[in-house]
Every structure is written in structure tokens, then in C-alpha cells.
Amino acid sequence: MPAIRNDWTVEEVQQLLQLPFNDLMFKAQSVHREHFNPNEVQVSTLLSIKTGACPEDCKYCPQSAHYHTGLDRERLMAVEKVLQEAQAAKDKGASRFCMGAAWRNPKDRDMPYIMEMIKGVKELGLESCMTLGMLSAEQAKLLQQAGLDYYNHNLDTSPEFYGDIITTRTYQDRIDTLANVRDAGMKVCAGGIVGMGESVKDRASLLVQLANLPKHPESVPINMLVKVEGTPFAKLEDLDNFEFVRTVAVARILMPQSHVRLSAGREDMNDEMQALCFLAGANSIFYGEKLLTTANPEADADLRLFERLGITPEQADGYDDEVHTAVIEDAIAEQEQPVRFYDAS
């Protein structure tokens, strides 16, 4: 088994990205099988607990207050409502519940509510994850004490291309938050977005930044840009699908023990493309109707795709395997039942 590396160069990663496609897929799948069951995919649900009015100017984001996208602004969701959504996610087979807030960073007044959400999600038997913007070392410790398992903070793109994406937060701010999360004892979820007009070298540089962290992120979301009207990136050309699959494959090779997640943009991927991503080493998805504020494939469609591919949802530690399997089987069976009534009202 190859050693885990934290010393990749951009040149090495560019060479991997430019391998013949079949060679790259074979290499990525071989690495994947050394560390994971190739027929299991971790399933998470993501809920926006505070939507819109973010002061950051990320050019891809419909939640930025700098752009007019028609998104309704919503205050921080009540704890009880969040836990109802978490229970619903569990009932549909999710093993991890992720909560996202459109903040530059959480305020001290919000922390008690956030901590109650974490504790409630954990009591339901779900893994917990949050993305709240930048964190101080003290805030990271409070979240860890409340029981938070994962914290998401993406690097978005390469250091070299970053200034073309956002100006209100530095690259080092992002690195510092990841360090605070790791030092507090939580697991790190960090990835990026492709299809924003970056070069192959930029994609290589992003992957190098992630793989050369002191410890690889436990989860690495690879997002395809979702183009939203009103944002500066609404009219960008689509990234070639094979370039996205290549990015997934190289992420798997560089970070062999990390979960590589298909995240934003999956709504526009057909089943065949998603299957290629799973073959390339992706082994985590968000499912449900929305990814924060953009569309995501419906959970039932995901379950049917899993069945066609012979994939089963990965179990969280301490989660009842028989119960989880029953939930998935019941959901699939329900979808196979013919519709016998149409409500014309």
C-alpha cells in the first residue's frame, strides 16, 4: 500500500490530470479499493439553517448580499425545526446531517443555539457536520465540546486563481480556520469548486493545497459550479464532464483515505456520469432536494441509482446496520409501487 503523502507538487498532479482517461480511472479505482469498499457510498443530508445576506462576495454564490439572485433571506432556523429536519433525513437513510449558515463567521450570540442543534443531532444517532464560515480557535473548541464531528470549510480554488473568485476573505483565512478545526479535535471537510473558469494548473494547485495539509481532510467535496442567474458566474461556459471526473480521480489518488464527495452540481449529472465518478473513487454524496440553496437530485432517484449500480449506503459508526438497510429497502419498494390515485384538486 503506497505511503500517505503530504509533499505533492503541482507538476506531479498536472501529469496525473493529463493521463489517458482509462489509465487514470484504473489507477484511481485501484487506490480506492485499497482503502474502501468500492460498492459503498456515504450518504449525507445538508440543511441551510440560515439563508442569504452573506457579506462575502464569492462570485459563484447566490447567498452573497452583493448579488441579486431572488433568494429569500431567512434568519437562523429554530433548533426544534432543525431537529425535525434531521429526523426526516435519518428516516430517509442519511447517516450524517450537515448544517450550513450563510455567515462570514458565527457571532457569539449564535453559539448557544448552534451547540443545541449539534447535541440534538447527535442524540438522534447521526454524525454531525457544520459549515458556518470562519472560526476562531475558541469557537472551534466550543463546537467540539458540543459534539460536532465534522466542520466544512472549502478552499474553493487554487491560491493563484483565488483573487478572481473572492476579495472579502483571504486564502490564509481559510487555511487558519482549517487549522483551528483540526487543533480542536474535529474532523475536517474541505474541498473546492471546479468549472469557474480555472485552468488545469489551477485544479492541480487546489488539489495540492488539500493533499499537503498536515493531515488530509477526512471528507473532500468536489463541487461542480452551479450557475445561478444574478451571480457574476451565471454565464460561464460549462466544464467538460471528463475534466470533472478527472478531478475526482486525482483527488482519490492524492488523498486515498479521505471520503471524496460528489457535492454541488450533481443535479446536472446524468446517471452515467455519476457512475463514472463512483468508479473514479467518489464515495460520498449529499442527497435530498437542495444543497443549501441550489437543486440536488431527489433522494429517491439516488436510491434507485444505487440499486442499479449495486451500491449500498455506508454505515456510520454506532449506527444500527439492520435498521439502516430496512429504511433504504422500504424507500426503494415504495418507489416501485404503482400510483393508484391521482389527486386532481
Side-chain angles (χ1 to χ4, degrees):
M1 188 175 295
I4 302 298
R5 289 181 55 185
N6 303 84
D7 61 351
W8 292 92
T9 67
V10 172
E11 291 72 22
E12 284 179 294
V13 177
Q14 277 190 273
Q15 290 173 8
L16 287 173
L17 284 167
Q18 294 169 343
L19 282 173
F21 187 76
N22 287 345
D23 292 346
L24 177 59
M25 293 292 282
F26 179 79
K27 186 175 183 69
Q29 177 64 198
S30 298
V31 171
H32 187 50
R33 286 172 177 268
E34 291 176 350
H35 298 275
F36 291 98
N37 182 331
N39 298 310
E40 285 187 351
V41 171
Q42 190 273 326
V43 175
S44 300
T45 295
L46 177 61
L47 175 69
S48 179
I49 60 173
K50 186 271 176 185
T51 304
C54 180
E56 306 282 17
D57 66 354
C58 309
K59 291 182 179 178
Y60 56 82
C61 186
Q63 301 211 61
S64 172
H66 293 258
Y67 317 124
H68 300 288
T69 62
L71 183 70
D72 292 332
R73 301 179 179 184
E74 299 175 3
R75 294 181 179 273
L76 183 63
M77 189 178 290
V79 174
E80 181 179 357
K81 176 63 175 174
V82 171
L83 298 184
Q84 289 173 355
E85 295 286 346
Q87 181 63 60
K90 180 178 179 180
D91 291 343
K92 283 199 170 186
S95 60
R96 184 181 304 167
F97 191 69
C98 304
M99 296 156 277
W103 285 324
R104 175 177 171 81
N105 53 272
K107 303 295 189 294
D108 289 342
R109 64 174 181 268
D110 300 312
M111 294 301 291
Y113 302 101
I114 294 298
M115 293 170 71
E116 285 302 310
M117 292 176 190
I118 296 167
K119 292 174 182 177
V121 169
K122 296 291 290 181
E123 289 172 359
L124 291 174
L126 291 164
E127 290 183 322
S128 59
C129 177
M130 281 193 160
T131 178
L132 311 171
M134 294 184 293
L135 289 182
S136 66
E138 182 180 354
Q139 288 174 326
K141 290 176 182 177
L142 287 174
L143 295 179
Q144 190 276 333
Q145 290 169 5
L148 189 64
D149 297 299
Y150 290 82
Y151 193 82
N152 167 258
H153 200 62
N154 289 332
L155 296 182
D156 283 359
T157 189
S158 68
E160 298 80 12
F161 192 58
Y162 184 79
D164 293 337
I165 307 300
I166 177 174
T167 65
T168 52
R169 182 189 311 184
T170 69
Y171 210 81
Q172 190 59 47
D173 288 334
R174 294 178 183 269
I175 296 292
D176 291 345
T177 289
L178 294 180
N180 290 337
V181 169
R182 184 66 78 190
D183 291 345
M186 289 180 287
K187 297 175 182 177
V188 169
C189 175
I193 307 170
V194 298
M196 298 191 293
E198 76 284 345
S199 66
V200 174
K201 186 174 182 180
D202 287 316
R203 290 195 284 278
S205 181
L206 165 65
L207 293 172
V208 165
Q209 290 293 320
L210 293 166
N212 287 356
L213 289 169
K215 183 177 180 181
H216 291 168
E218 281 78 8
S219 289
V220 181
I222 305 297
N223 299 273
M224 178 80 88
L225 174 68
V226 177
K227 291 179 283 187
V228 179
E229 286 297 328
T231 65
F233 285 173
K235 304 299 183 184
L236 287 181
E237 291 185 13
D238 291 338
L239 180 72
D240 181 87
N241 287 340
F242 289 116
E243 291 303 308
F244 182 86
V245 178
R246 286 177 179 276
T247 305
V248 170
V250 175
R252 166 53 63 221
I253 293 167
L254 268 59
M255 294 166 279
Q257 295 179 339
S258 303
H259 280 80
V260 177
R261 176 178 296 140
L262 289 184
S263 198
R266 210 161 56 83
E267 169 77 4
D268 296 324
M269 300 178 193
N270 61 27
D271 289 350
E272 291 76 15
M273 182 178 174
Q274 291 186 63
L276 273 179
C277 289
F278 294 139
L279 188 63
N283 62 340
S284 178
I285 64 168
F286 280 125
Y287 80 169
E289 293 180 357
K290 284 192 174 182
L291 255 181
L292 289 182
T293 59
T294 58
N296 195 45
E298 294 183 1
D300 294 329
D302 290 327
L303 296 176
R304 291 195 296 272
L305 178 60
F306 278 16
E307 185 181 35
R308 290 167 63 198
L309 297 178
I311 287 173
T312 57
E314 181 182 287
Q315 311 305 316
D317 291 340
Y319 194 76
D320 189 323
D321 182 76
E322 291 184 2
V323 172
H324 193 266
T325 301
V327 167
I328 298 298
E329 290 176 348
D330 287 348
I332 292 173
E334 182 177 335
Q335 287 300 304
E336 292 174 346
Q337 294 297 316
V339 176
R340 293 191 170 89
F341 175 74
Y342 173 67
D343 186 355
S345 62

